[in-house]
């Protein structure tokens, strides 16, 4: 289960769950190799509704940058654009957005490259994060180490292990931390430790070898203390949010809190959520390494019941004890609940028993306290914490092999990462 790549370990993912050699390969070689479609939970239609609900198909657009560009073209604040989930840049995405006070005619006149926006209905309620059941994926893995029937057999062997457990370990994938520059958890940690200067430099500076030369140069200039004007003139268009920070510092030197608050609220929240995700990954890794089940509970666990949509209800907790563990595990075996792990915040509810010990040890190892997650300087970064399911169900799986490439179709519930499933399959 061990021998994981270093980049996984940096994000708290310390184990593989399945046995056997992975298929290797590469993903996202081409945009069409990674297609994700939201399965939405749309608000009720109302002809006189204030909000226009649209489907948005985009190629190679990250959600926050897309929202910013749409808002700029419509002449509205990005706060008037709602969406159910964020999507990574590389690939083809079909998601849903709401627009406050915008007409279908305005949407139809946008003409944004590689983006197709289709009005669906009006509603009295906007879309917000979580307004989806999950996502449907179509992903091609190329240049695998096997081919033909051998590739198909190896993929089926790994997937059958996961299906026997009811799914795969629900780690947070690299997208939570930044695909090219996985450091959002470090920014979150700097924020909750009130080192706002470091947070700004981690975001606007801190170049990665995977970025373009122009982007690296701009980040190096910023880190080196170059004049703000020189930094801004060197920044390519893709660095729009970094530009916002530097523009603020140009007018208000040393006001790092103000610079951070120029970022979209959901992006600020993502920084702290990324730190919580790193801790969660470590806790789940240790649970697996201690051979505790993820599809069944042990005494001391906290179980999230299944709601009417088939999703984990993170507002209701079932504490597992000696007296109810058999009944709880019967329900878990039927798919009516989810064992959970801690997302640490200022109102955290720790498990007890072995799981509780794991959670407390990980928090202590990072020298964190609940109070750290109350950030009055940047209220968007305050987080009460929660609990999250440790197992992600996997459904509607289809495989198609062509030489040393394999195309997978499958569905995941919201909050789960296709790249984490692929990680078990590829093991690279």
């Amino acid at each position: 289960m061990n021998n994981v790549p270093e980049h996984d370990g940096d994000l708290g993912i310390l184990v593989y769950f399945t046995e056997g050699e992975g298929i290797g390969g590469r993903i996202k070689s081409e945009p069409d190799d990674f297609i994700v479609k939201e399965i939405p939970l749309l608000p009720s239609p109302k002809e006189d509704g204030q909000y226009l609900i649209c489907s948005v198909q985009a190629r190679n657009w990250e959600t926050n940058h897309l929202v910013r560009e749409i808002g700029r073209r419509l002449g509205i604040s990005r706060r008037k654009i709602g969406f159910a989930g964020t999507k990574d840049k590389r690939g083809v995405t079909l998601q849903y957005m709401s627009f406050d006070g915008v007409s279908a005619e305005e949407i139809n006149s946008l003409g944004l490259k590689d983006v197709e926006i289709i009005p669906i209905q009006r509603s009295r309620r906007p879309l917000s994060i979580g307004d989806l059941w999950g996502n449907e994926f179509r992903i091609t893995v190329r240049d695998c180490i096997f081919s033909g029937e051998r590739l198909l057999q190896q993929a089926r062997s790994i997937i059958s292990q996961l299906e026997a457990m009811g799914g795969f370990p629900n780690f947070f994938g690299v997208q939570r931390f930044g695909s090219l520059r996985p450091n959002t958890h470090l920014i979150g940690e700097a924020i909750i430790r009130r080192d706002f200067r470091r947070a700004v430099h981690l975001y606007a500076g801190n170049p990665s070898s995977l970025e373009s030369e122009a982007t690296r140069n701009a980040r190096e200039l910023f880190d080196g203390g170059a004049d703000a004007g020189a930094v801004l003139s060197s920044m390519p268009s893709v660095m729009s949010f970094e530009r916002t920070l530097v523009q603020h510092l140009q007018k208000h030197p040393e006001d790092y809190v103000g610079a951070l608050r120029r970022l979209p609220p959901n992006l600020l929240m993502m920084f702290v959520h990324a730190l919580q995700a790193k801790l969660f990954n470590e806790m789940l890794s240790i649970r697996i390494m201690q051979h505790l089940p993820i599809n069944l509970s042990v005494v001391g666990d906290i179980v999230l019941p299944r709601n009417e949509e088939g999703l984990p209800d993170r507002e209701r907790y079932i504490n597992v004890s000696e007296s109810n563990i058999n009944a709880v595990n019967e329900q878990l075996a039927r798919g009516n609940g989810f064992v959970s792990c801690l997302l640490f915040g200022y109102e955290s509810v720790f498990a007890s028993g072995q799981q509780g010990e794991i959670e407390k040890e990980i928090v202590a190892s990072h020298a964190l306290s609940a109070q750290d997650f109350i950030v009055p300087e940047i209220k968007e970064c305050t987080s009460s914490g929660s609990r999250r399911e440790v197992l992600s169900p996997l459904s509607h799986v289809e495989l198609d092999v062509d030489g040393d490439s394999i195309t997978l179709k499958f569905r995941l519930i919201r909050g789960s990462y296709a790249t984490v499933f692929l990680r078990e399959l590829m093991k690279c």
Side-chain angles (χ1 to χ4, degrees):
M1 289 196 299
N2 296 300
N3 301 317
V4 302
E6 183 178 353
H7 56 79
D8 282 352
D10 291 341
L11 305 180
I13 308 176
L14 309 176
V15 294
Y16 288 115
F17 189 72
T18 54
E19 301 292 341
E21 189 175 7
I23 65 171
R26 296 180 297 112
I27 60 172
K28 301 186 178 182
S29 299
E30 302 291 339
D32 287 339
D33 285 352
F34 200 101
I35 300 174
V36 53
K37 299 179 180 180
E38 287 184 345
I39 304 171
L41 299 174
L42 299 179
S44 300
K46 297 289 182 182
E47 289 187 8
D48 60 348
Q50 179 178 345
Y51 301 94
L52 180 66
I53 309 296
C54 299
S55 67
V56 181
Q57 181 168 308
R59 179 185 297 267
N60 287 347
W61 277 92
E62 188 272 333
T63 300
N64 282 295
H65 285 87
L66 178 57
V67 167
R68 184 182 182 121
E69 181 61 21
I70 294 173
R72 187 186 70 80
R73 294 197 178 205
L74 290 174
I76 63 174
S77 166
R78 59 177 173 256
R79 297 174 190 270
K80 291 194 171 186
I81 303 175
F83 48 90
T86 57
K87 299 292 181 286
D88 205 17
K89 178 179 178 179
R90 184 70 172 167
V92 178
T93 61
L94 176 62
Q95 61 188 126
Y96 294 82
M97 295 184 181
S98 63
F99 300 89
D100 185 352
V102 174
S103 68
E105 289 73 22
E106 290 175 291
I107 290 294
N108 291 333
S109 67
L110 275 175
L112 195 57
K113 183 181 179 182
D114 293 327
V115 180
E116 182 180 15
I117 307 179
I118 301 176
I120 296 176
Q121 65 182 52
R122 300 205 71 90
S123 175
R124 293 178 183 171
R125 180 177 73 79
L127 285 172
S128 59
I129 295 292
D131 282 340
L132 71 162
W133 181 90
N135 295 283
E136 183 175 270
F137 296 88
R138 183 183 185 277
I139 299 174
T140 298
V141 184
R142 300 187 184 276
D143 300 328
C144 299
I145 61 176
F146 306 112
S147 63
E149 186 63 25
R150 180 74 176 88
L151 173 57
L152 185 61
Q153 289 176 354
Q154 192 65 18
R156 283 176 173 167
S157 172
I158 294 171
I159 291 171
S160 66
Q161 293 178 59
L162 297 175
E163 289 178 332
M165 296 299 295
F168 58 91
N170 198 27
F171 291 117
F172 285 93
V174 67
Q175 299 98 310
R176 172 62 78 177
F177 307 96
S179 295
L180 289 181
R181 209 170 48 122
N183 73 339
T184 54
H185 59 299
L186 300 177
I187 300 170
E189 182 176 8
I191 288 172
I192 66 120
R193 296 196 191 280
R194 311 304 193 271
D195 191 347
F196 301 113
R197 181 184 185 279
R198 173 171 166 76
V200 167
H201 273 269
L202 282 168
Y203 186 71
N206 190 36
S208 165
S209 61
L210 297 177
E211 296 177 298
S212 70
E213 183 179 359
T215 298
R216 292 198 309 272
N217 290 340
R219 295 195 192 282
E220 289 169 359
L221 283 173
F222 182 74
D223 278 342
D227 175 76
V231 175
L232 289 169
S233 64
S234 71
M235 284 182 162
S237 59
V238 295
M239 299 182 72
S240 56
F241 291 130
E242 291 89 343
R243 179 180 294 275
T244 295
L245 294 185
V246 178
Q247 286 173 335
H248 181 88
L249 292 174
Q250 186 178 38
K251 297 177 182 177
H252 309 281
E254 306 298 316
D255 181 18
Y256 297 105
V257 169
L260 288 167
R261 296 203 70 185
R262 294 288 304 278
L263 296 175
N266 71 299
L267 183 55
L268 287 169
M269 287 188 295
M270 282 177 63
F271 295 145
V272 174
H273 288 171
L275 173 60
Q276 294 169 320
K278 167 78 157 38
L279 301 178
F280 176 95
N281 283 353
E282 292 179 7
M283 294 171 189
L284 178 50
S285 292
I286 298 302
R287 182 182 178 101
I288 293 170
M289 292 167 70
Q290 291 188 3
H291 305 289
L292 299 179
I294 61 173
N295 62 336
L296 296 174
S297 67
V298 297
V299 172
D301 275 337
I302 296 176
V303 168
L304 310 176
R306 178 180 181 270
N307 67 16
E308 60 184 13
E309 293 155 350
L311 302 172
D313 186 343
R314 296 180 182 171
E315 304 300 319
R316 294 168 55 205
Y317 296 168
I318 299 171
N319 294 292
V320 180
S321 64
E322 292 282 3
S323 63
N324 71 359
I325 186 169
N326 290 336
V328 169
N329 281 340
E330 285 181 9
Q331 293 302 315
L332 290 174
R334 296 173 184 171
N336 290 330
F338 302 81
V339 177
S340 72
C341 190
L342 181 68
L343 290 170
F344 186 56
Y346 71 82
E347 284 185 348
S348 295
V349 177
F350 286 88
S352 57
Q354 291 172 277
Q355 179 62 31
E357 291 175 6
I358 292 170
E359 294 171 0
K360 291 171 184 175
E361 284 179 11
I362 294 299
V363 170
S365 72
H366 289 269
L368 294 170
S369 71
Q371 194 70 20
D372 291 334
F373 288 82
I374 300 175
V375 188
E377 298 92 339
I378 309 177
K379 62 182 180 179
E380 296 89 347
C381 292
T382 292
S383 178
S384 60
S386 181
R387 296 194 66 88
R388 167 183 165 91
E389 60 280 6
V390 300
L391 181 73
S392 174
L394 179 66
S395 65
H396 296 77
V397 180
E398 298 179 21
L399 307 177
D400 182 44
V401 168
D402 181 10
D404 63 357
S405 297
I406 184 169
T407 298
L408 303 100
K409 296 180 183 178
F410 55 94
R411 291 182 185 179
L412 301 180
I413 64 173
R414 67 187 182 204
S416 299
Y417 290 80
T419 51
V420 174
F421 164 51
L422 293 173
R423 172 185 175 273
E424 286 286 345
L425 190 65
M426 298 166 69
K427 291 192 170 73
C428 61

